[in-house]
């Protein structure tokens, strides 16, 4: 009971302090002294800190002992009824085990793809984005984000075409791919002296001699035009920053085209704990239902 | 329109209940529970009409959730009243009616937009429907428990206290499994499907857990420690305060993944 109240109090405190921000955020929000206290006591990552994990470990121990004790005493007494709370408590224990499995083994990664881009994923999977559709309602609010991908395994075996939407992740072995976000990506096309075309996205480089031109993005220019911004790198330092419009010269290159394309943001997740959690949920629901039905039975008799 | 009509019906019910309470009549009034049922039906009809318009079960924003919450409370009051075994005390019935009126009043506030809008992609899940409906059904029982707890603390007569304590316990004993299934289990399954993580320590999730732990402490204190009386009543009041904060307070004060709700 006291442990429950301690966990409740700690959790309340943690929701009052925004979690996972950087030190500067806390300094701006609370001043240097309080910020130092928050960071040094790990209150910025409370749910991964000793102050939360230790009471939770005690709770796990307490629950284990109580569940075993209750279960054994019921068996010894030969009682056939009231196993609902036992099943519920076992469910909660499995839930905590699943939480530990997630805490220690969960892996996730985000990646952005434009149509035609590929991504190599764990397990030998390769994913190519065939199309990305952003559907809206009449009032302009988002209705659906649909990434259609082709999937192959180990570079040879084609697994087929699949769509990934919010609430409809793609399952590949023990990994799930989620529709996470989307963005409008700025890109440029430059032509060399022979007329060969090269494409560059934001922060990608166009090699030239000992250095490179890095495309940094776009800015509004005069005459309602758009200018592409390039840093010129020589060795390991920026020498100049230039703003160019289509047909302007960039060293030996000519800026041919500035354009935007829609990219999809996908999230790959491997969570060894979720299956355990799901089993735990089944136990919890079964335990609660059984407890309730037994209680109704008691009242009727 | 139907929601406004429901509001009028509940207010009429409350007036009748007050009239009977002031008369100190021995038997409860014969109509208020039917008015509760009528208002609940009107609110469910409102939900149905909105659902048809958005082609999805209309529990996807605060306004719709408030209507469902209020309708659930009224339906529970009707069912309690129809029970021969656990007749609800008239003053507890009146207090719970006031809670339902207050929730509808919040729904009519300009801070709670009532525009009928189809759900954004994250909300387009049947798990969301289970999450919201089960959680609010559980919370509706907690509302009855909350009013019973206040009545318990205010009552001076032992018989009245015993009656209030019985309603307090039964309402939370029924609400707890519903809330567990809805707020935690179905919510976590939906989160895993929508966001790739069944638990993110988002403020709303954390406060739902805090609420659940409070009611767990309530049940544990009664069933294991054999606590009765004031401790139970205070835990029930704190639990319902946390329930309301989880639902409304977090939305406006602690933004997170659930900010659109």
């Amino acid at each position: 009971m006291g442990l429950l109240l301690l966990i409740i109090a700690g959790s309340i405190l943690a929701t009052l302090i925004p979690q996972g921000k950087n030190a500067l955020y806390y300094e701006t929000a609370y001043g240097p002294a309080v910020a130092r206290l928050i960071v040094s006591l790990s209150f910025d990552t409370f749910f991964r800190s000793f102050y939360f994990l230790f009471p939770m470990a005690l709770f796990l121990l307490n629950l284990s002992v109580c569940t075993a004790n209750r279960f054994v005493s019921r068996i010894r007494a030969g009682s056939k009824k009231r196993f609902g709370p036992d099943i519920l408590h076992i469910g909660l224990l499995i839930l905590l085990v699943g939480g530990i499995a997630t805490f220690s083994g969960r892996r996730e990664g985000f990646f952005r793809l434009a149509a035609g881009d590929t991504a190599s994923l764990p397990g030998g999977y390769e994913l190519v984005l065939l199309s990305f559709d952003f559907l809206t309602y009449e009032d302009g609010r988002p209705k659906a984000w649909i990434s259609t991908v082709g999937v192959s395994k180990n570079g040879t075996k084609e697994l087929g075409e699949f769509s990934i939407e919010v609430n409809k992740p793609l399952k590949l072995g023990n990994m799930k791919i989620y529709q996470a976000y989307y963005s409008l990506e700025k890109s440029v096309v430059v032509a060399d002296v022979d007329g060969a075309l090269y494409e560059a996205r934001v922060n990608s480089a166009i090699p030239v001699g000992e250095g490179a031109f890095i495309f940094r993005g776009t800015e509004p220019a005069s005459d309602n035009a758009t200018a592409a911004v390039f840093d010129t790198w020589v060795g390991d330092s920026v020498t100049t920053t230039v703003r160019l419009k289509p047909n302007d010269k960039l060293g030996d290159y000519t800026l041919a085209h500035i354009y935007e394309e829609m990219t999809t943001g996908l999230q790959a997740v491997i969570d060894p704990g979720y299956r355990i959690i799901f089993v735990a949920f089944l136990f919890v629901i079964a335990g609660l239902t059984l407890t309730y039905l037994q209680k109704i039975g008691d009242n009727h008799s | 329109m139907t929601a406004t009509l429901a509001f009028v019906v509940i207010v009429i019910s409350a007036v009748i209940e007050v009239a009977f309470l002031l008369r100190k009549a021995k038997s409860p009034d014969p109509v208020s529970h039917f008015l509760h049922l009528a208002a609940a039906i009107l609110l469910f009809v409102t939900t149905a009409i909105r659902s048809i318009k958005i082609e999805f079960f209309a529990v996807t924003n605060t306004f719709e959730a408030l209507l469902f919450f209020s309708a659930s409370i009224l339906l529970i009051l009707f069912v309690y009243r129809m029970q021969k075994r656990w007749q609800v005390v008239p003053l507890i019935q009146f207090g719970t009616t006031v809670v339902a009126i207050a929730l509808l009043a919040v729904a009519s506030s300009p801070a709670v937009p009532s525009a009928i809008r189809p759900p954004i992609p994250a909300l387009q899940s049947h798990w969301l429907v289970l999450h919201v409906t089960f959680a609010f059904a559980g919370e509706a029982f907690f509302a009855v428990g909350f009013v019973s707890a206040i009545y318990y603390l205010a009552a001076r007569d032992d018989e009245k206290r015993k009656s209030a304590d019985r309603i307090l316990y039964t309402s939370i004993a029924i609400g707890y499994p519903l809330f567990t299934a809805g707020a935690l289990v179905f919510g976590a399954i939906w989160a895993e499907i929508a966001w790739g993580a069944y638990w993110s320590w988002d403020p709303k999730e954390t406060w739902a857990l805090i609420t659940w732990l409070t009611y767990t402490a309530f049940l544990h204190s009664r069933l294991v420690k054999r606590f009765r009386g004031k401790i139970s009543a205070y835990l029930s009041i704190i639990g319902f305060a946390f329930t309301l904060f989880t639902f409304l307070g977090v939305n406006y004060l602690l933004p997170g993944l659930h900010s659109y709700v």
Side-chain angles (χ1 to χ4, degrees), chain A residues 1 4 7-8 11-12 15 47 52 92 98-99 102 106 137 139 141-145 166-167 169 176 178 267 269 271 274 277-278 281 285 288 292 295 299, chain B residues 85-86 117-122 124-125 169 174 177 180-181 185 188-190 192-198 201 206-207 210 212-214 217 221 235 242 254:
Chain A
M1 183 79 173
L4 276 181
I7 293 168
I8 290 171
S11 300
I12 290 173
T15 60
F47 296 106
F52 181 71
L92 292 176
T102 295
R106 187 177 190 275
Y137 293 112
D139 61 3
R141 291 160 64 247
K143 184 178 184 180
W145 296 292
V166 180
N167 280 310
K176 283 185 180 174
Y178 295 85
Q267 178 191 15
V269 177
D271 185 349
Y274 183 63
I277 292 286
F278 197 82
F281 285 158
I285 295 286
L288 287 169
Y292 187 63
K295 193 80 184 163
N299 287 330
Chain B
R85 198 184 176 95
W86 293 325
R117 302 170 93 186
I120 59 169
Q124 296 165 12
S125 168
Y169 173 64
I174 299 169
T180 305
V185 174
I189 293 172
W190 172 45
E192 198 276 337
I193 293 170
W195 297 310
Y198 59 85
W201 294 111
T206 309
W207 272 95
I210 291 165
W212 183 78
L213 287 172
T214 306
S221 69
L235 277 173
F242 286 171
L254 305 170

Side-chain angles (χ1 to χ4, degrees), chain A:
Chain A
M1 183 79 173
L3 206 52
L4 276 181
L5 296 178
L6 186 69
I7 293 168
I8 290 171
S11 300
I12 290 173
L13 192 62
T15 60
L16 301 178
I17 300 167
Q19 297 289 295
K21 306 284 185 189
N22 59 37
L24 186 65
Y25 172 87
Y26 297 109
E27 215 170 296
T28 313
Y30 304 106
V34 179
R36 264 198 303 279
L37 196 69
I38 288 172
V39 175
S40 62
L41 292 175
S42 303
F43 269 58
D44 54 333
T45 51
F46 178 78
F47 296 106
R48 288 177 170 266
S49 73
F50 171 82
Y51 308 103
F52 181 71
L53 295 178
F54 183 65
M56 285 305 286
L58 288 180
F59 181 68
L60 177 64
L61 186 69
N62 188 307
L63 191 63
S64 305
V65 172
C66 289
T67 304
N69 187 35
R70 188 192 146 92
F71 194 67
V72 169
S73 61
R74 296 243 154 238
I75 299 278
R76 279 188 183 153
S79 172
K80 291 178 182 172
K81 293 181 76 181
R82 299 219 170 277
F83 278 109
D86 298 307
I87 295 170
L88 171 62
H89 285 140
I90 290 168
L92 292 176
L93 282 173
I94 299 171
L95 196 70
L96 291 171
V97 171
I100 293 168
T102 295
F103 184 77
S104 56
R106 187 177 190 275
R107 285 185 292 154
E108 70 172 10
F110 292 86
F111 52 102
R112 192 166 58 183
L113 299 175
D117 287 352
T118 58
S120 295
L121 300 171
Y125 293 101
E126 190 160 83
L127 205 131
V128 56
L129 183 71
L130 302 173
S131 65
F132 176 64
D133 298 300
F134 179 8
L135 310 181
T136 57
Y137 293 112
E138 284 177 6
D139 61 3
R141 291 160 64 247
K143 184 178 184 180
W145 296 292
I146 307 168
S147 299
T148 306
V149 295
V151 182
S152 60
K153 191 167 186 189
N154 300 326
T156 50
K157 192 180 172 191
E158 294 289 330
L159 298 181
E161 276 183 37
F162 303 92
S163 65
I164 304 170
E165 295 180 53
V166 180
N167 280 310
K168 293 175 188 166
L170 170 64
K171 198 166 183 310
L172 298 172
N174 65 348
M175 176 172 55
K176 283 185 180 174
I177 314 292
Y178 295 85
Q179 179 65 52
Y181 63 98
Y182 74 95
S183 64
L184 266 178
E185 176 98 340
K186 304 275 192 332
S187 296
V188 290
V189 176
V190 294
D192 67 11
V193 287
D194 300 322
L197 298 176
Y198 301 91
E199 193 178 280
R201 289 187 182 151
V202 172
N203 295 329
S204 61
I206 301 163
V208 52
E210 296 293 304
F213 296 116
I214 312 283
F215 173 51
R216 291 300 188 196
T218 61
E219 282 181 3
S222 56
D223 309 330
N224 290 327
T226 301
V229 181
F230 292 90
D231 285 342
T232 307
W233 282 75
V234 176
D236 56 0
S237 60
V238 177
T239 55
T240 53
T241 297
V242 292
R243 287 161 182 78
L244 306 176
K245 288 193 269 189
N247 299 321
D248 286 349
K249 286 285 182 190
L250 180 68
D252 290 338
Y253 295 96
T254 304
L255 179 61
H257 190 43
I258 304 171
Y259 68 99
E260 285 182 332
E261 63 181 339
M262 193 72 94
T263 61
T264 184
L266 300 175
Q267 178 191 15
V269 177
I270 296 173
D271 185 349
Y274 183 63
R275 283 184 184 171
I276 304 170
I277 292 286
F278 197 82
V279 171
F281 285 158
L282 294 178
F283 270 80
V284 168
I285 295 286
L288 287 169
T289 309
L290 200 58
T291 305
Y292 187 63
L293 291 177
Q294 284 169 345
K295 193 80 184 163
I296 289 173
D298 288 352
N299 287 330
H300 280 296
S301 60

Side-chain angles (χ1 to χ4, degrees), chain B residues 126-235:
Chain B
H126 297 303
W127 288 108
L128 164 85
V129 176
L130 288 173
H131 166 52
V132 174
T133 52
F134 272 72
F136 280 113
E139 289 174 7
F141 279 101
F142 293 164
V144 178
F146 163 71
V147 177
S148 305
I150 292 175
Y151 182 81
Y152 177 91
L153 293 172
R156 298 189 184 280
D157 183 273
D158 271 355
E159 201 54 40
K160 284 179 179 173
R161 281 188 168 191
K162 202 175 164 186
S163 182
D165 187 65
R166 196 180 61 232
I167 297 165
L168 167 61
Y169 173 64
T170 55
S171 60
I172 291 173
I174 299 169
Y176 181 80
L178 292 170
F179 182 78
T180 305
L184 301 180
V185 174
F186 297 145
I189 293 172
W190 172 45
E192 198 276 337
I193 293 170
W195 297 310
Y198 59 85
W199 196 263
S200 307
W201 294 111
D202 166 71
K204 192 100 166 175
E205 291 174 351
T206 309
W207 272 95
L209 179 67
I210 291 165
T211 303
W212 183 78
L213 287 172
T214 306
Y215 283 109
T216 301
F218 170 92
L219 288 174
H220 202 262
S221 69
R222 281 189 83 103
L223 299 174
V224 179
K225 303 281 183 191
R226 303 286 173 199
F227 288 165
R228 291 283 188 281
K230 283 188 176 178
I231 291 178
S232 285
Y234 284 128
L235 277 173

